[in-house]
Amino acid sequence: MKARLLALFALVCFAAAAFAQTTIVIPAGTPEDKDLATIANEADAGKRTAFFEDFVQKYASNPAAVAYGNAQLAQIASTAGDNAKALDYGDKALAAMPDVIDLLQNQVNFAQAAKRTDKVVEYAGRGATVIRNLDQQPKPATTSDADWQQQL
């Protein structure tokens, strides 16, 4: 019960912070984007897993690609019922981009499914730190000063 309440609290906090968070962006037309389009056309989960593992290795110098690829691998593992493996992939995604609320929220979900209360607390705490530091993030170039202040 305690873990469920903590997970619910974390979900509410993550949802509240989602508007101003760091996000994973793979620009359209890049080689990464083209490879992701190819992977998306693969129906077989086993082949998709191999493709995403290759994708992460191929674009190891691109944090967004590493985070995205590992996040997809985490989802595939979780769908297959292997939440321990999902947590491992999710941790790799977070190593590449530690301030992405969506990744932290997924990790809370995987940890809860794996009955790892210690991990639920860890990821919720990390999420709280990201939320607490939102006002220190740089203003996006496409956002006016007034809109940024209102969002914060």
Side-chain angles (χ1 to χ4, degrees):
M1 181 67 172
K2 191 176 191 181
R4 287 181 191 232
L5 288 175
L6 184 57
L8 179 62
F9 174 73
L11 180 63
V12 169
C13 289
F14 292 153
F19 69 89
Q21 70 160 317
T22 302
T23 57
I24 300 171
V25 177
I26 306 290
T30 61
E32 293 91 332
D33 179 52
K34 291 175 184 174
D35 284 354
L36 288 173
T38 301
I39 295 169
N41 290 326
E42 180 55 58
D44 181 80
K47 289 181 182 178
R48 238 183 9 259
T49 297
F51 287 160
F52 273 119
E53 287 173 348
D54 289 343
F55 177 85
V56 168
Q57 292 300 315
K58 183 176 181 179
Y59 299 108
S61 64
N62 180 341
V66 171
Y68 184 83
N70 278 304
Q72 293 303 308
L73 287 164
Q75 290 292 337
I76 292 168
S78 178
T79 300
D82 192 345
N83 287 298
K85 188 179 249 184
L87 285 170
D88 289 340
Y89 282 125
D91 283 341
K92 291 175 185 177
L94 284 170
M97 294 186 74
D99 295 337
V100 178
I101 294 290
D102 289 337
L103 296 177
L104 289 162
Q105 182 176 345
N106 286 341
Q107 289 298 89
V108 167
N109 294 338
F110 301 147
Q112 187 175 14
K115 298 182 181 179
R116 293 285 311 272
T117 305
D118 60 321
K119 289 295 197 178
V120 171
V121 171
E122 174 188 335
Y123 299 123
R126 287 176 65 177
T129 299
V130 170
I131 292 165
R132 189 172 45 248
N133 293 326
L134 282 176
D135 63 342
Q136 297 172 6
Q137 290 185 355
K139 176 183 75 74
T142 58
T143 305
S144 72
D145 288 338
D147 287 343
W148 182 243
Q149 286 306 313
Q150 184 178 6
Q151 287 179 5
L152 291 176

